[in-house]
């Protein structure tokens, strides 16, 4: 079984306080990918939601990135409407809230869905250089024999340079970048 994981495609990263032209530009490709996933009745889509509380500025992340974002319950925490529409055709999907760059629960959730070790796990989303790479590396550690894939056409980073650097780092760690 193949699992797809969409990372943090939330308003604050697309058009909000941490958005940039690259994260905005990748949204149509992500919507198309999600529709294709929805057409495969055997596919499962997990989607992470960066989730912070009003106390974000008191956290280590808040002190190092002093931009409140993805505060649960705010419009910035939500998925863009066009992505919600695309996701309506996906029958097997599960939201995964995370308060850290890597979703610590993902390996357990994937094991519960796919069994001991999935054959393939494909990631896409934002930001390549922070949360996508963190989750790809976490999954590679838990599932060393699974093919971990990152679809670079459906990813964007903080900057084009750091996006490219993250893709290269993942390749070195035996993550397949397409």
């Amino acid at each position: 079984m193949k699992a797809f994981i969409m990372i943090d495609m939330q308003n604050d990263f697309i058009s909000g306080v941490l958005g940039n032209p690259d994260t905005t530009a990748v949204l149509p490709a992500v919507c198309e990918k999600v529709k294709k996933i929805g057409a495969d009745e055997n596919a499962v889509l997990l989607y992470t939601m960066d989730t912070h509380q009003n106390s974000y500025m008191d956290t280590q992340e808040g002190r190092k990135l002093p931009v409140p974002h993805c505060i649960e319950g705010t419009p910035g925490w939500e998925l863009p409407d066009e992505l919600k529409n695309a996701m309506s055709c996906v029958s097997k999907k599960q939201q995964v809230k995370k308060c850290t760059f890597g979703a610590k629960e993902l390996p357990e959730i994937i094991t519960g869905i796919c069994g001991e070790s999935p054959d393939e796990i494909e990631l896409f989303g934002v930001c390549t250089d922070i949360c996508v790479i963190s989750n790809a590396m976490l999954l590679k550690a838990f599932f060393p024999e699974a093919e971990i894939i990152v679809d670079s056409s459906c990813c964007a980073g903080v900057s084009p340079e750091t996006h490219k650097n993250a893709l290269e780092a993942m390749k070195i760690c035996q993550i397949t970048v397409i």
Side-chain angles (χ1 to χ4, degrees):
M1 176 180 258
K2 183 173 183 175
F4 292 90
I5 304 173
M6 182 175 69
I7 306 293
D8 299 355
M9 288 296 298
Q10 294 159 269
N11 286 324
D12 272 348
F13 292 120
I14 306 300
S15 59
V17 295
L18 293 176
N20 65 53
D22 293 331
T23 57
T24 301
V26 80
L27 181 59
V30 168
C31 289
E32 285 306 309
K33 183 171 198 74
V34 167
K35 288 176 187 175
K36 287 179 184 172
I37 293 167
D40 179 352
E41 61 189 45
N42 294 317
V44 61
L45 175 66
L46 303 175
Y47 61 102
T48 66
M49 300 284 285
D50 194 36
T51 303
H52 300 293
Q53 304 304 318
N54 289 328
S55 60
Y56 171 77
M57 296 299 289
D58 297 328
T59 67
Q60 182 178 27
E61 181 182 332
R63 289 187 296 276
K64 293 186 177 202
L65 177 65
V67 180
H69 63 281
C70 297
I71 306 299
E72 189 170 15
T74 66
W77 182 78
E78 297 290 332
L79 300 172
D81 289 338
E82 54 266 58
L83 186 52
K84 287 180 188 176
N85 291 337
M87 289 176 66
S88 67
C89 69
V90 179
S91 60
K92 297 177 189 172
K93 60 184 174 253
Q94 182 174 339
Q95 181 187 84
V96 180
K97 292 181 186 178
K98 64 182 191 60
C99 63
T100 61
F101 299 146
K104 299 178 286 187
E105 303 84 2
L106 270 179
E108 183 179 338
I109 293 168
I110 291 169
T111 300
I113 293 169
C114 299
E116 284 286 321
S117 180
D119 297 324
E120 290 184 8
I121 303 170
E122 185 173 324
L123 296 92
F124 57 98
V126 296
C127 288
T128 317
D129 39 3
I130 302 172
C131 293
V132 174
I133 191 172
S134 294
N135 284 286
M137 299 296 277
L138 179 138
L139 293 170
K140 188 64 176 171
F142 273 87
F143 304 113
E145 294 304 316
E147 186 75 22
I148 308 297
I149 302 164
V150 172
D151 183 347
S152 63
S153 72
C154 291
C155 290
V158 173
S159 73
E161 297 79 22
T162 57
H163 165 78
K164 182 180 175 188
N165 289 343
L167 294 174
E168 291 303 315
M170 288 186 276
K171 287 178 189 177
I172 292 168
C173 293
Q174 300 178 358
I175 293 167
T176 303
V177 176
I178 58 172

